[in-house]
């Protein structure tokens, strides 16, 4: 099972393109679970529920959502993943579009390279050569979560969480960049949702957190992953 975790607010217009692109290009859409976290104070919540209900009827058990309090995106990603039984967990934004046919089969191909399941995978985001090898829309595994005790760096509010996961994987030589999978990311910066995490010092706060935790806990987390690999050998 592949879990795609998506916090969303104020953007119901992107639901159909994301869900349909992911499930029509998957070789086994029944093995994909698209999980949304929605805010109970979102003025668009009724529109979300209406569209998602229609998508759930169309795609049966592949579309799910939870409504809860307004909270930071990392907590929402983590709560979605923690509440879902899956083999792979993808952190995604609500505007992404899946473009590669049979992208889900390539997840299994990567797992064959790392039978112990300890790895982080990224895909091409469609934003040019300068973004190659970046950890955008990262994918981790249930074994990664078992080793670390978390899916996504819980110390972050919004930014640097993908970079943290990529850094950990690179430190143990378990970062897999799949240029043959395109999950196109269109960063929307100027709508109400985009502006929420681009003000009030949130980026600066997460940058400080990233640098501080690289000093105090990164080596410990790297060692946790290495121990898990040795134990599963």
């Amino acid at each position: 099972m592949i879990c795609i975790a998506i916090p969303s607010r104020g953007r119901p217009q992107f639901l159909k393109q994301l869900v349909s692109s992911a499930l029509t290009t998957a070789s086994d859409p029944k093995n994909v679970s698209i999980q949304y976290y929605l805010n109970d104070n979102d003025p668009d919540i009724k529109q979300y529920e209406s569209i998602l209900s229609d998508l759930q009827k169309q795609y049966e058990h592949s579309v799910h959502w939870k409504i809860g309090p307004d909270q930071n995106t990392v907590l929402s990603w983590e709560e979605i993943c923690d509440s879902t039984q899956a083999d792979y967990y993808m952190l995604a934004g609500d505007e992404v579009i899946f473009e590669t046919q049979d992208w889900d089969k390539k997840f299994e191909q990567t797992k064959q390279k790392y039978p112990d399941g300890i790895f982080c995978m990224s895909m091409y985001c469609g934003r040019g050569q300068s973004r190659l090898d970046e950890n955008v829309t990262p994918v981790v595994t249930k074994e990664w979560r078992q080793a670390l005790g978390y899916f996504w760096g819980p110390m972050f509010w919004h930014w640097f969480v993908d970079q943290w996961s990529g850094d950990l994987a690179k430190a143990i030589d378990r970062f897999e960049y799949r240029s043959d999978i395109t999950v196109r990311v269109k960063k929307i910066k100027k709508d109400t949702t985009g502006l929420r995490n681009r003000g009030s010092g949130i980026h600066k706060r997460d940058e400080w957190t990233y640098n501080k935790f690289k000093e105090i806990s990164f080596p410990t987390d790297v060692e946790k992953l290495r121990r898990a690999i040795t134990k599963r050998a």
Side-chain angles (χ1 to χ4, degrees):
M1 177 67 71
I2 300 170
C3 169
I4 305 174
I6 311 164
S8 186
R9 179 187 178 92
R11 294 173 173 175
Q13 69 271 26
F14 295 134
L15 292 170
K16 291 181 181 179
Q17 70 175 20
L18 191 158
V19 170
S20 62
S21 71
L23 297 178
T24 58
T25 55
S27 64
D28 185 6
K30 292 182 179 179
N31 197 43
V32 178
S33 180
I34 302 176
Q35 303 268 352
Y36 281 92
Y37 182 92
L38 310 174
N39 297 153
D40 55 14
N41 64 351
D42 187 343
D44 295 314
I45 192 63
K46 295 299 183 183
Q47 189 175 356
Y48 269 103
E49 291 183 286
S50 176
I51 296 171
L52 286 168
S53 293
D54 290 341
L55 289 168
Q56 193 175 63
K57 292 175 185 176
Q58 181 178 356
Y59 295 107
E60 298 182 355
H61 303 297
S62 293
V63 179
H64 306 272
W65 67 95
K66 172 186 176 181
I67 300 173
D70 189 359
Q71 60 190 29
N72 71 74
T73 44
V74 175
L75 178 57
S76 298
W77 278 315
E78 190 73 15
E79 285 187 353
I80 291 170
C81 295
D82 258 336
S83 64
T84 305
Q85 294 290 327
D87 301 296
Y88 309 97
Y89 297 84
M90 176 189 289
L91 177 158
D94 57 10
E95 83 292 355
V96 304
I97 300 174
F98 289 71
E99 296 186 356
T100 302
Q101 191 66 41
D102 297 337
W103 57 269
D104 51 328
K105 284 186 177 180
K106 298 177 187 294
F107 283 33
E108 291 293 338
Q109 292 170 4
T110 303
K111 177 68 178 294
Q112 291 172 11
K113 185 176 179 180
Y114 307 108
D116 54 37
I118 308 293
F119 66 91
C120 176
M121 183 177 74
S122 183
M123 296 144 286
Y124 178 52
C125 68
R127 288 189 284 168
Q129 296 295 311
S130 65
R131 309 305 294 267
L132 294 178
D133 293 322
E134 286 190 4
N135 192 29
V136 182
T137 58
V139 175
V140 296
T141 63
K142 60 183 179 182
E143 293 89 353
W144 179 276
R145 166 64 173 83
Q146 290 164 2
L148 284 176
Y150 62 82
F151 289 100
W152 315 109
M155 68 290 284
F156 299 107
W157 184 272
H158 179 83
W159 306 100
F160 292 92
V161 64
D162 45 5
Q163 185 172 340
W164 178 265
S165 299
D167 288 351
L168 286 172
K170 291 172 183 177
I172 59 171
D173 197 26
R174 291 297 184 93
F175 179 69
E176 189 74 10
Y177 180 76
R178 297 296 303 248
S179 60
D180 58 341
I181 306 174
T182 297
V183 178
R184 189 167 298 277
V185 176
K186 183 181 179 181
K187 285 291 184 182
I188 302 167
K189 302 178 180 180
K190 295 185 179 180
D191 68 350
T192 302
T193 300
L195 292 171
R196 278 163 59 88
N197 290 312
R198 287 177 168 83
S200 304
I202 293 175
H203 187 278
K204 183 177 180 180
R205 179 258 187 212
D206 276 350
E207 183 177 27
W208 178 89
T209 301
Y210 170 82
N211 291 327
K212 182 58 65 175
F213 275 79
K214 283 296 286 282
E215 295 176 11
I216 64 177
S217 69
F218 186 79
T220 301
D221 284 356
V222 168
E223 187 56 32
K224 287 179 180 178
L225 292 169
R226 285 179 174 152
R227 284 200 303 268
I229 292 170
T230 300
K231 185 177 180 180
R232 294 173 182 272

